Amino acid sequence: MKKLLLIVCLFCIGTLAQAQDYGTGIGIRGGSANGLTIKHFIRNDVALEGIISSRWQGLNLTGLYEIHARAFNEPGFNWYYGFGGHIGFWDGDHAHWGDDGKNYTVLGLDGILGLEYNIREIPINLSVDWKPALNLIGYSGLWGDGFALSVRYIF
């Protein structure tokens, strides 16, 4: 019984370890909002991601907690989901949803669902994700158009 328990524990640890193919990735993010992204693993299956992006000539800072798992049972492919928050700053003259002459500071919640592929030989990480955001303070509302492609150098 002890041997069986040990085998099951080692299998579970090995499965979790497979979710992480790199420690940190830094790169660019392009989509409805363009910017910079940095992702760092704090555990084999958990990463923190920071995004600095621009849209409507404003600035948005996002922090995310992401859970990763192997996708398609293929090395290098991972899917992930998570949550976090953001703070954004916009001039209403450039935001099509804002009022001219008014500045906006927004705070809100974010979700993320994505798929990534790690090319260890280069070393590059490609990811595509959907990151909906809900502004709670400032200009409130749900933004569901947060689709993006990210390219990161991984190490």
Side-chain angles (χ1 to χ4, degrees), residues 3-67:
K3 287 182 183 180
L4 179 60
L5 183 59
L6 178 62
I7 291 170
V8 169
C9 287
L10 289 175
F11 175 77
C12 290
I13 291 169
T15 301
L16 287 176
Q18 290 178 3
Q20 177 185 351
D21 295 324
Y22 61 97
T24 302
I26 299 172
I28 57 173
R29 177 180 172 86
S32 55
N34 299 312
L36 303 174
T37 172
I38 181 168
K39 185 184 285 195
H40 177 73
F41 279 86
I42 58 173
R43 287 193 345 223
N44 287 334
D45 61 341
V46 176
L48 299 177
E49 183 174 4
I51 301 168
I52 300 172
S53 60
S54 179
R55 185 175 187 183
W56 303 304
Q57 296 185 4
L59 179 69
N60 199 54
L61 307 171
T62 305
L64 298 164
Y65 179 90
E66 300 172 350
I67 299 166

Side-chain angles (χ1 to χ4, degrees), residues 79-97:
W79 69 277
Y80 56 94
Y81 63 94
F83 60 92
H86 67 269
I87 183 168
F89 308 95
W90 285 280
D91 178 349
D93 295 340
H94 300 289
H96 74 291
W97 45 264

